[in-house]
Amino acid sequence: MKQRKVISLPTNSTKIYRQILAFMNFMLNLTPQERDVLAELVSLNNEYDALPEDKRAKFILSTDVRKEIREDLDIQEKQFNVIISKLRKKNMFGKPLINDKNILHPELQFKPDKDGFRIEDNLEMTAEIKKEKIEKTEESKKEKIPPKEYKHDATKAPVVEEEEFDFTIKIPDE
């Protein structure tokens, strides 16, 4: 790789988890509301990291903490339970985002420090996309003009699935 590009984004402790998950969303394919809930769970997982993992997982999804999360995010109980259920069904690298013991996926157990969080992506060139796929993509872009309310806040935009990408993700060595 010849060229490197570093982009520094402003953040703070209240929005960094949402920003990281928004960036990772090409792998997670979560709705904005699912990202908000997952961001709260990741944040709480870090906040209570002094507890052993199994006790922390039970505590984070306890009735009282669930209620606090719902109130913070202004989500009804029924909707919150549906979101948690969906997060349990979604996978990353072959493992659920939240397992049956309420433990977060290992790749979601990231912890920003006082300087923030650094993400590095390596986009490796693979086989070229056929010309007809490019034309279809350009046609679909013309049809998918986002509403004005998404112009300055991409976290509110709906998830758009792109099937044209052919990539593999190498699972990091554990």
Side-chain angles (χ1 to χ4, degrees):
M1 284 179 257
K2 296 178 184 178
Q3 188 175 8
R4 294 187 88 151
K5 195 69 149 175
V6 176
I7 302 171
S8 296
L9 302 172
T11 192
N12 60 45
S13 60
T14 59
K15 66 180 183 179
I16 191 164
Y17 296 101
R18 285 178 179 79
Q19 288 174 314
I20 293 168
L21 291 174
F23 185 80
M24 293 173 66
N25 205 40
F26 75 96
M27 293 184 294
L28 303 173
N29 199 22
L30 302 173
T31 66
Q33 203 171 41
E34 289 169 342
R35 282 196 311 263
D36 288 346
V37 169
L38 190 56
E40 288 296 318
L41 297 176
V42 173
S43 175
L44 289 167
N45 193 58
N46 288 333
E47 189 175 331
Y48 296 101
D49 66 348
L51 292 172
E53 187 176 50
D54 58 332
K55 290 184 180 186
R56 182 177 355 135
K58 287 178 186 177
F59 174 73
I60 289 171
L61 285 173
S62 67
T63 306
D64 292 338
V65 176
R66 281 175 178 247
K67 184 177 179 183
E68 284 181 34
I69 295 171
R70 288 195 322 266
E71 288 171 356
D72 288 348
L73 298 176
D74 193 28
I75 300 174
Q76 296 296 316
E77 182 177 7
K78 194 173 190 178
Q79 178 62 18
F80 182 81
N81 292 336
V82 168
I83 291 169
I84 294 295
S85 176
K86 285 182 179 182
L87 292 174
R88 289 180 196 282
K89 293 176 185 173
K90 295 199 179 206
N91 290 306
M92 181 169 64
F93 303 132
K95 296 179 183 175
L97 299 182
I98 302 172
N99 71 17
D100 56 350
K101 295 179 181 176
N102 294 336
I103 297 173
L104 289 175
H105 189 288
E107 294 299 322
L108 295 175
Q109 295 184 25
F110 52 82
K111 188 171 187 174
D113 60 20
K114 64 179 178 56
D115 297 324
F117 190 75
R118 184 179 180 100
I119 298 172
E120 185 172 321
D121 278 338
N122 294 321
L123 300 175
E124 298 175 7
M125 298 302 272
T126 58
E128 293 193 26
I129 300 172
K130 294 180 183 176
K131 188 175 180 177
E132 66 183 50
K133 280 189 177 182
I134 293 172
E135 289 171 1
K136 286 180 185 177
T137 303
E138 288 173 0
E139 287 174 19
S140 66
K141 282 181 184 175
K142 290 176 187 174
E143 297 170 8
K144 297 178 184 175
I145 299 172
K148 290 181 182 178
E149 63 262 23
Y150 302 141
K151 184 176 180 183
H152 299 290
D153 189 358
T155 61
K156 294 180 181 173
V159 176
V160 178
E161 294 184 35
E162 293 286 344
E163 295 181 21
E164 290 82 19
F165 294 110
D166 181 25
F167 64 90
T168 57
I169 299 173
K170 295 177 185 174
I171 299 175
D173 296 332
E174 295 182 355

